């Protein structure tokens, strides 16, 4: 009996340690809904900076619990339509935003970077509202995401050696994202990336509207300059800077 009680106590303490490993009511989205696809781009080199950002030590979506539960509800609705959410960014350590600031001021613009900013110099991205030195992502209230058609072939992978076209090009020419065609790639700082951009096709517009509607039914609000960016009013608060660590199973 003593051995059994010891095992149970160790299990309880381990569970508490896991539950307390994130501050401020944050949780790993996989612990709430493992069916939601994740492609946390700032933990990789496949982003506008071209390397992992400071604080991204794992490609895990971390969210406030309320946000996670609402995402789960969106996912359940989409599942009946053979669709899934795909997360590009969730909680963002404050140090990552400062990393973006330093990048914007380094005086260089590579060909790969220009794929994301085909018409706007990166020194202008903050002034125009595409990047913020203090991001809602750091409060846990903001998300970047898209839709995946689960019936489609989503097997194409990003190849850093490929000379892809910029983010406004037709879907077959720009880097693959394994998602529906929203008219631009993720993090595309161009007017075509504005949610209501008139220059996209009717089918692309329909996908954007479908995403906005599904998220809106759970209280999420879209940012008009970025079809992929959503926030949940009232879910934020103070900004955090804890790093994103690998999730413990």
């Amino acid at each position: 009996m003593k051995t059994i009680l010891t095992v149970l106590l160790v299990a309880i303490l381990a569970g508490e340690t896991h539950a307390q490993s994130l501050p401020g009511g944050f949780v790993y989205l996989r612990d709430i809904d493992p069916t939601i696809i994740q492609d946390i781009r700032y933990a990789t080199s496949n982003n506008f900076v071209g390397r992992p950002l400071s604080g991204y030590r794992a490609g895990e979506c971390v969210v406030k619990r309320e946000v996670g539960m609402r995402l789960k509800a969106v996912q359940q609705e989409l599942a009946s339509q053979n669709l899934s959410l795909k997360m590009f960014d969730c909680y963002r350590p404050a140090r990552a935003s400062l990393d973006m600031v330093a990048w914007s001021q380094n005086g260089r613009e590579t060909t790969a970077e220009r794929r994301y900013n085909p018409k706007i110099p990166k020194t202008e991205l903050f002034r125009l509202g595409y990047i913020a030195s203090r991001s809602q992502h750091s409060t846990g209230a903001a998300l970047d995401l898209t839709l995946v058609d689960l019936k489609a072939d989503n097997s194409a992978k990003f190849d850093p050696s490929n000379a892809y076209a910029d983010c406004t090009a037709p879907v077959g020419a720009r880097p693959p994202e394994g998602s529906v065609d929203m008219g631009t790639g993720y993090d595309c700082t161009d007017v075509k990336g504005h949610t209501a951009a008139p220059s996209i096709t009717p089918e692309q517009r329909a996908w954007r509207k479908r995403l906005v509607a599904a998220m809106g039914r759970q209280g999420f609000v879209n940012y008009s300059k970025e079809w992929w960016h959503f926030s949940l009013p009232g879910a934020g608060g103070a900004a955090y800077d804890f790093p994103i660590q690998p999730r413990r199973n």
Side-chain angles (χ1 to χ4, degrees):
M1 179 62 71
K2 183 177 180 181
T3 300
I4 295 174
L5 290 175
T6 300
V7 170
L8 288 175
L9 179 60
V10 169
I12 291 171
L13 290 174
E16 288 179 350
T17 300
H18 179 75
Q20 294 171 1
S21 62
L22 296 174
F26 285 92
V27 296
Y28 288 96
L29 182 59
R30 290 190 204 278
D31 290 335
I32 291 180
D33 192 335
T35 72
I36 297 176
I37 300 169
Q38 297 189 28
D39 180 12
I40 307 303
R41 297 279 286 276
Y42 298 147
T44 74
S45 61
N46 183 16
N47 57 58
F48 65 89
V49 177
R51 57 170 172 75
L53 287 178
S54 180
Y56 284 82
R57 300 176 185 172
E60 289 287 347
C61 175
V62 173
V63 294
K64 287 292 185 72
R65 179 171 294 279
E66 179 187 3
V67 171
M69 296 306 296
R70 291 181 185 240
L71 287 173
K72 180 181 178 72
V74 175
Q75 182 76 346
Q76 289 175 336
E77 176 188 338
L78 294 173
S80 64
Q81 306 165 46
N82 287 306
L83 297 173
S84 173
L85 291 174
K86 185 174 192 175
M87 312 305 297
F88 288 131
D89 195 33
C90 303
Y91 159 74
R92 180 185 305 165
R95 72 189 74 178
S97 295
L98 296 179
D99 202 357
M100 291 179 183
V101 174
W103 165 83
S104 73
Q105 298 173 351
N106 67 14
R108 302 188 305 273
E109 288 201 66
T110 67
T111 300
E113 290 173 357
R114 295 298 293 175
R115 288 204 303 259
Y116 293 88
N117 315 304
K119 299 175 184 175
I120 304 172
K122 67 184 189 181
T123 53
E124 294 290 293
L125 296 179
F126 286 89
R127 184 180 67 81
L128 295 174
Y130 287 105
I131 302 176
S133 57
R134 295 183 180 181
S135 173
Q136 268 194 308
H137 282 275
S138 300
T139 73
L143 307 158
D144 294 343
L145 48 81
T146 189
L147 292 174
V148 174
D149 181 352
L150 297 175
K151 304 186 303 298
D153 179 3
N154 299 306
S155 61
K157 302 298 182 184
F158 173 73
D159 181 353
S161 67
N162 274 5
Y164 295 109
D166 72 58
C167 58
T168 65
V171 66
R174 62 182 189 256
E177 293 187 333
S179 57
V180 302
D181 180 11
M182 291 288 190
T184 76
Y186 167 56
D187 259 355
C188 188
T189 52
D190 186 89
V191 293
K192 197 173 180 181
H194 295 187
T195 308
S199 55
I200 59 176
T201 69
E203 183 177 9
Q204 292 163 347
R205 184 170 297 107
W207 279 121
R208 291 186 186 189
K209 288 183 177 179
R210 197 166 182 176
L211 177 59
V212 170
M215 294 294 288
R217 282 190 282 275
Q218 290 299 322
F220 291 99
V221 177
N222 173 247
Y223 176 47
S224 63
K225 286 188 175 182
E226 299 175 345
W227 60 256
W228 55 85
H229 181 100
F230 292 83
S231 59
L232 184 63
Y240 286 79
D241 190 40
F242 63 88
I244 300 171
Q245 304 283 12
R247 171 179 164 271
R248 281 176 282 178
N249 293 322

